[in-house]
Amino acid sequence: MLGIYLPAAALMLGAFSFQPLEYSLPLKLPESAAVDLQAEEPTSLTQLSIPDYVYTIQSGDTLSTIFERLGVSQKEMYQVLESDVSILALDTLKPGDKLGFWLESGQLHQLELRFSAAEQVVFTRAAAEVFEYSEVRLEGEWREEMLAGEINGSFYNSAKRAGLRASEIQRVSALLQDKINFRRDLRAGDRFQVVRAEQYVDGEATGNTRLEGLRILNRSRELTAFNFEGQFYDLNGESLASAFIRYPTKGKYRLSSHFNPFRKHPVTGRVRPHNGTDFATPIGTPVLATGDGVVTRVTKHPYAGLYIVIEHGEKYKTRFLHLSKALVTKGQTVSRGQKIALSGNSGRSTGPHLHYELHVNGRPVNAMTAPIPVADGVDKDERLAFTQRTQRLLEQMGVNQG
Ligand SMILES: [Zn+2]
């Protein structure tokens, strides 16, 4: 173990140098016991150098207090947040995630967000007042397991008992929402099976999981969903993905800023991508969900303003920034075309507009030109591969196809 302790002097300086600001981490759990900076052996994949401090996020932490304890100024925290507006990674920190700090003569030089062995984001000082980010994402290996259960009470509770996580249950519900009403149609004694894959990097579970296949025996009928190259299909190869709409508004609005992965930062001259499309919407314009999905975040960010994140299955994600009002809450299931918010001018914004992002497999793409999924079946020439895959998953569920 490396003995990395915060010098007492720095702690004291931090204590009276700045008022703690209101900016807080998203997960507000009850205030836990005193938060201590921990001495740990850093195991960063992205950096050869060892951070000066490593801090493990605890319940009730705020970014402000963590920075304050290290004696890093709030001004620098806002410089990091300014860079974070492109990826909104800080808002996803949860207890157990680690922050690595590199300081140079009392100034923050680099900050690493370590979400897991597979996922890190690094903010590095690129100019006097500007940080740039880089992302590390490792695929690792995915190990499959089969979970099975019987309906007794709600689907949620039954699936929980079988070992599924809340987020996975939500994904199952969203996937089959057009096929079954989970509240009304399921009966006690109905059975379900789920093949889930869990990600490992260097033998360490990252906490990320993926649904591979599922089967629900609802009285006399059988509902199935199989993940094939990131899209879900039923046993017959019919798509379960509903199509997207191109525009997140009812009317057409002027595009005030295009998606641009190569946009340059005016100060550093380095690439600071514009990961979305901006529409010149007046404040109060209804914003629509562009596909069926689950709301995973409704958050305020000092630069992104009020924003919403929607996950559409395993592969697609959309984000809506600078809103004036959210009409949905975290965890809510939404359908394509549903009014989810009113546009605004919140956060740092040069005028009223809607910033809209579409992500495919965790990467932002141009929402105006990206091939939008259409509800087609499995391609003819991929039919054999699809059948082999479903047969293998069904075998794991103990289904004899003979
Ligand atoms: Zn924008």
Side-chain angles (χ1 to χ4, degrees), residues 256-258 263 274-279 321-322 353-357:
S256 50
S257 184
H258 289 268
R263 188 170 69 172
H274 183 234
N275 288 333
T277 304
D278 292 349
F279 297 96
L321 275 57
H322 309 298
H353 76 284
L354 171 65
H355 171 108
Y356 169 59
E357 297 180 11

Side-chain angles (χ1 to χ4, degrees), residues 14 26 33 41 45 66 77 95 107 111 129 141-142 147 164 198 211 220 239 251-252 281 298 313 379 396 401:
E41 196 153 9
L45 289 170
I66 295 168
M77 182 186 84
Q107 271 212 324
L111 172 67
E129 308 216 313
E141 61 160 325
W142 293 81
L147 305 169
L164 272 86
E198 190 162 12
L211 295 179
S220 58
S239 176
K252 289 267 170 75
T281 49
V298 179
D379 281 349
Q396 280 194 65
Q401 290 289 293

Side-chain angles (χ1 to χ4, degrees), residues 295-316:
V295 177
T296 54
R297 250 190 283 166
V298 179
T299 311
K300 271 185 190 144
H301 185 283
Y303 294 93
L306 175 64
Y307 72 93
I308 291 177
V309 181
I310 298 178
E311 283 181 15
H312 311 270
E314 315 266 320
K315 195 174 175 183
Y316 299 95

Side-chain angles (χ1 to χ4, degrees), residues 277-402:
T277 304
D278 292 349
F279 297 96
T281 49
I283 291 173
T285 304
V287 177
L288 312 178
T290 46
D292 296 346
V294 176
V295 177
T296 54
R297 250 190 283 166
V298 179
T299 311
K300 271 185 190 144
H301 185 283
Y303 294 93
L306 175 64
Y307 72 93
I308 291 177
V309 181
I310 298 178
E311 283 181 15
H312 311 270
E314 315 266 320
K315 195 174 175 183
Y316 299 95
K317 188 168 80 181
T318 49
R319 280 177 179 165
F320 307 82
L321 275 57
H322 309 298
L323 305 170
S324 63
K325 188 171 195 235
L327 304 174
V328 290
T329 53
K330 191 182 164 179
Q332 191 175 330
T333 301
V334 294
S335 42
R336 179 184 48 185
Q338 185 177 334
K339 208 195 281 185
I340 54 161
L342 300 178
S343 75
N345 192 26
S346 60
R348 188 188 55 184
S349 172
T350 49
H353 76 284
L354 171 65
H355 171 108
Y356 169 59
E357 297 180 11
L358 172 66
H359 295 236
V360 180
N361 293 325
R363 302 271 170 220
V365 298
N366 186 344
M368 297 299 100
T369 57
I372 285 176
V374 286
D376 277 346
V378 172
D379 281 349
K380 270 208 187 82
D381 51 353
E382 287 191 314
R383 207 67 211 203
L384 182 64
F386 174 75
T387 308
Q388 286 167 347
R389 169 119 186 94
T390 55
Q391 294 306 311
R392 202 176 61 66
L393 289 165
L394 284 168
E395 262 166 44
Q396 280 194 65
M397 296 174 186
V399 179
N400 193 340
Q401 290 289 293

